């Protein structure tokens, strides 16, 4: 089983729609969680960190469910500019330090 | 601030040739990383460094070497390129092992 799993998509949604992505992680010792955004042929960039209590940044809401070992990203009122691949990232402590594991990403296409 | 820069942006090699990829950051970050990204595989850590003069192996280190002689630079070397090393290579840096990583624009390498 992969350490971090995401549905690759693509999710094709109309502009203005609400869309949600889930990501599951296998290691219960995972400590911190992030969503990164990657545009086509560009580098990943941090979208938001995911806190235990859930957090919101404008149209974006991230939530963590430790019991079920998944994190989610909700995008409201989708814009054409939201079209990108969203990477789930999980950090856990290991003997050699912290290990960041990236999911393979979920592709979102927002259409007119 | 330029952030994280990578040189070159594109490169085509023949099997057996060698090359060095250069990563530079101007954010005074202690931690630096080299990843490769392949379709369906996600970002995989090749090598990383926790400070000037230190390097450590990541998930997929075989066929690569690295050096961190100066805090701001992290070099990735391919001694004898193989077609399996065709990939997009990203460098990243961070203040610590559990904070946000800032990525460079990537190097697209093709080995024929």
């Amino acid at each position: 089983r992969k350490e971090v799993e995401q549905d690759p998509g693509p999710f094709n949604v109309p502009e203005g729609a609400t869309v949600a992505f889930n990501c599951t992680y296998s290691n219960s010792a995972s400590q911190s969680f992030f969503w990164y955004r990657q545009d086509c042929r560009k580098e990943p960039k941090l979208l938001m960190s995911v806190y235990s209590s859930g957090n919101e940044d404008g149209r974006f809401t991230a939530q963590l469910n430790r019991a079920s070992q998944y994190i989610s990203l909700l995008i409201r009122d989708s814009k054409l500019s939201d079209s990108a691949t969203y990477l789930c990232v999980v950090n856990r402590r290991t003997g050699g330090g912290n290990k960041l594991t990236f999911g393979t990403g979920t592709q979102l296409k927002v259409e007119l | 601030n330029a952030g994280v820069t990578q040189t070159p942006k594109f490169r085509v090699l023949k099997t057996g040739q060698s090359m060095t990829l250069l990563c530079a950051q101007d954010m005074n970050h202690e931690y630096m990383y080299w990843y490769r990204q392949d379709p369906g595989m996600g970002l995989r850590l090749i090598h990383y460094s926790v400070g000037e003069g230190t390097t450590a192996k990541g998930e997929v280190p075989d066929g690569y070497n690295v050096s961190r002689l100066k805090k701001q630079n992290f070099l990735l070397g391919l001694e004898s390129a193989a077609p399996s090393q065709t990939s997009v290579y990203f460098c990243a840096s961070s203040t610590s092992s559990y904070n946000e990583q800032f990525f460079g624009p990537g190097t697209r390498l093709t080995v024929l």
Side-chain angles (χ1 to χ4, degrees):
Chain A
R1 182 184 173 187
K2 287 184 179 179
E3 191 163 345
V4 178
E5 293 202 69
Q6 296 182 251
D7 181 342
F11 284 60
N12 298 308
V13 303
E15 203 174 15
T18 295
V19 61
F21 311 134
N22 279 344
C23 164
T24 59
Y25 60 95
S26 61
N27 196 313
S28 59
S30 300
Q31 296 177 296
S32 54
F33 310 87
F34 309 89
W35 283 102
Y36 277 70
R37 171 190 169 132
Q38 186 172 24
D39 292 297
C40 187
R41 302 178 75 81
K42 298 282 191 180
E43 71 273 25
K45 292 183 180 179
L46 180 68
L47 177 66
M48 57 197 306
S49 301
V50 186
Y51 303 122
S52 297
S53 56
N55 47 302
E56 190 173 307
D57 183 1
R59 298 181 293 109
F60 298 84
T61 301
Q63 294 200 310
L64 167 64
N65 185 319
R66 285 193 183 273
S68 300
Q69 294 183 202
Y70 77 83
I71 68 173
S72 64
L73 177 67
L74 181 77
I75 304 175
R76 290 181 299 277
D77 188 23
S78 299
K79 311 290 185 192
L80 293 175
S81 57
D82 293 333
S83 297
T85 297
Y86 291 84
L87 307 177
C88 170
V89 184
V90 173
N91 184 31
R92 65 178 172 88
R93 187 173 294 280
T94 69
N98 286 285
K99 179 184 176 185
L100 219 59
T101 302
F102 287 78
T104 54
T106 297
Q107 188 178 12
L108 172 65
K109 297 182 179 179
V110 181
E111 303 163 332
L112 286 171
Chain B
N1 288 351
V4 181
T5 58
Q6 292 183 233
T7 309
K9 288 186 169 49
F10 303 93
R11 186 71 185 268
V12 178
L13 291 179
K14 293 181 180 178
T15 297
Q17 287 185 317
S18 63
M19 76 164 295
T20 300
L21 283 67
L22 171 63
C23 175
Q25 53 94 6
D26 61 2
M27 297 176 283
N28 202 35
H29 286 170
E30 290 292 337
Y31 289 70
M32 295 188 75
Y33 314 83
W34 275 108
Y35 292 92
R36 60 177 291 172
Q37 187 174 38
D38 303 291
M41 300 290 289
L43 282 156
R44 292 183 292 169
L45 184 64
I46 304 171
H47 285 281
Y48 65 99
S49 168
V50 301
E52 181 179 316
T54 74
T55 63
K57 293 181 180 180
E59 184 184 352
V60 288
D62 294 341
Y64 305 94
N65 57 75
V66 287
S67 64
R68 182 112 181 257
L69 299 179
K70 293 183 179 181
K71 186 177 183 177
Q72 63 268 34
N73 296 337
F74 195 28
L75 278 64
L76 178 71
L78 285 73
E79 292 181 343
S80 180
S84 61
Q85 294 178 304
T86 293
S87 187
V88 180
Y89 292 85
F90 287 103
C91 174
S93 71
S94 64
T95 55
S96 71
S97 60
Y98 48 84
N99 280 355
E100 174 187 3
Q101 292 186 11
F102 294 83
F103 285 81
T107 294
R108 297 182 182 279
L109 175 66
T110 301
V111 182
L112 301 175

